[in-house]
Amino acid sequence: QVQLLQSGGGSGQAGGSLRLSCASSGNRYSSTCMAWFRQATGKEREAVAIAAPDGTARYADSVKGRFAVSFDDAENTLYLQMNSLKPEDTAMYYCAATTGSAFYCHIGRALGAMNAWGKGTLVTVSP
């Protein structure tokens, strides 16, 4: 599986923007799909955005219209652009990838299928 190196994140204010980066050791076709997850304190990890190699993107309802996932082929990097931030977006964010079935490249199915993970980056959004 690919190796993933995360960067970006940090602190922002409600209504602002942040961008997360996840550099992959492979190209977009090295994985069946790549994804961003987040885990808030005391809550379960949840998928927020999924990117398939064909460019298909899927989002959790909580971030739809505010977050955008993309893959830069020149840099082999997965991005998560987060706009219109809310305090409830505060969490550790993880990028992940899987070489498993594309069946799992959906918001509700992805968590257990990922076999490569970044180390996580903290995003804090103040009111």
Side-chain angles (χ1 to χ4, degrees):
Q1 60 268 23
V2 297
Q3 304 298 312
L4 303 173
L5 181 62
Q6 291 185 232
S7 60
S11 298
Q13 290 191 323
S17 298
L18 288 171
R19 190 177 76 162
L20 305 182
S21 302
C22 177
S24 173
S25 60
N27 61 36
R28 67 163 62 222
Y29 298 105
S30 299
S31 304
T32 310
C33 62
M34 298 183 71
W36 288 98
F37 293 79
R38 69 185 181 187
Q39 187 167 17
T41 302
K43 295 190 176 181
E44 295 184 350
R45 190 171 298 188
E46 61 177 358
V48 295
I50 293 174
D54 66 357
T56 300
R58 301 182 175 97
Y59 299 96
D61 289 343
S62 59
V63 306
K64 203 170 292 183
R66 300 189 298 120
F67 289 12
V69 61
S70 62
F71 191 89
D72 185 312
D73 292 297
E75 299 180 351
N76 286 334
T77 297
L78 183 75
Y79 293 101
L80 183 68
Q81 179 65 42
M82 303 185 293
N83 300 324
S84 301
L85 287 165
K86 301 177 180 180
E88 50 263 45
D89 294 322
T90 296
M92 283 291 291
Y93 282 72
Y94 300 88
C95 66
T98 183
T99 53
S101 170
F103 171 82
Y104 295 103
C105 295
H106 291 265
I107 292 295
R109 304 173 195 159
L111 180 57
M114 298 293 133
N115 50 26
W117 289 88
K119 291 187 177 181
T121 186
L122 181 63
V123 170
T124 303
V125 182
S126 56

